[in-house]
Amino acid sequence: MTVEWSAPRPIERSRLRLLCGRLWYTLLRYALWYFGGIRFARRRPAPECRCLHFAHRTPLLRKLRAVDMRYQHNKIVNLCIAAARLDGVVLRPGETLSYWRLIGRPTRRKGYLDGIVLFCGTFRPGVGGGLCQLSNLLFWMTLHTPLTVVERYRHSYDVFPDSGRTQPFGSGATCVYPYRDLMIRNDTPTTFRLRIAVGGEFLEGEWLADRPAEYSYRVVERDHCIRSEWWGGYSRHNALYREVYDAAGHCVDVQPVTRNDALMMYAPLLPDTEAEQGAQSPGCAE
């Protein structure tokens, strides 16, 4: 069965509208954090969490067209600061991990530098830019565990062409402090511990637990398509599913993960030389 997708024309909002929206959703986020009755995960000792459930890494530097490499090196500094806040977080049964509640607001006072941030279909320098590479990594790893993603936001724009993509389109998680958060809940009887490290070439992560994994997981893409829209642009769509395998290697379940709809900010049919230079998003590598 063919799935019909479509995307609306981009909406241009005034600065006042954007400011009011940010203030409103920021207030809602703080109310959720402090009055929502949620038990949040925190950093604490967990020597019993030694069983590896999933590990992944993503390259720190990418060849990007029209992007100053200085911002990518700044991104590494930003990732080091944020990774130190997440490394060692223990997620016990019934607790929820909030990405931004653990990291806090990225500010210059904390040492964050200007990196590349995505904004309304384009990119620009911003304090703390590049941290969505960390939220992407965390989301992807979590999809390969029995943990539950209770809040995640997709990228609304496809800004850079694919180049050496190893994961399905739309398998990341965008982040904007504090209201576009990534929240993960532990609905299992297992205690998990998160390990995050910035290596020489890669951002590296692991989910460890106090008992071995009962299942393994595989994320697959379905119904991928690119459409020419009536208003003159292009849109990109797909659906992600998670296949669950038992210890014998049999697929025992197929779970829907998300549907992605993004406006493309480049022509989908580029010459090979341009596509190679485009690469993925500088801080939002999926």
Side-chain angles (χ1 to χ4, degrees), residues 18-36:
L18 292 173
L19 176 61
C20 291
R22 284 196 295 267
L23 290 174
W24 172 248
Y25 287 110
T26 296
L27 290 174
L28 290 179
R29 178 61 50 178
Y30 286 147
L32 175 66
W33 282 349
Y34 297 107
F35 306 106

Side-chain angles (χ1 to χ4, degrees), residues 35-57:
F35 306 106
I38 300 174
R39 290 197 297 121
F40 286 104
R42 56 187 177 86
R43 296 178 67 195
R44 61 182 74 141
E48 70 278 7
C49 293
R50 297 176 180 175
C51 300
L52 177 64
H53 276 232
F54 191 74
H56 190 62
R57 65 181 189 175

Side-chain angles (χ1 to χ4, degrees), residues 57-75:
R57 65 181 189 175
T58 57
L60 292 169
L61 297 176
R62 296 177 182 272
K63 184 179 178 182
L64 299 168
R65 182 179 56 184
V67 176
D68 190 335
M69 286 300 294
R70 171 170 60 96
Y71 294 120
Q72 289 211 60
H73 289 287
N74 287 354
K75 176 192 72 175

Side-chain angles (χ1 to χ4, degrees), residues 41 57 78-79 119 147 154 169 247 249 277:
R57 65 181 189 175
N78 297 337
L79 289 172
F119 180 76
L147 297 172
R154 59 178 172 80
F169 164 70
Q277 294 174 355

Side-chain angles (χ1 to χ4, degrees), residues 3 8 16 26 52 69 106 125 128 187 198 205 222 228-229 263 266 273:
V3 178
L16 178 60
T26 296
L52 177 64
M69 286 300 294
D187 294 327
V198 179
R222 296 181 185 177
S228 176
E229 299 295 339
L263 300 174
Y266 59 91
T273 53

Side-chain angles (χ1 to χ4, degrees), residues 10 17 80 107 209:
R17 170 65 177 80
C80 287
T107 63

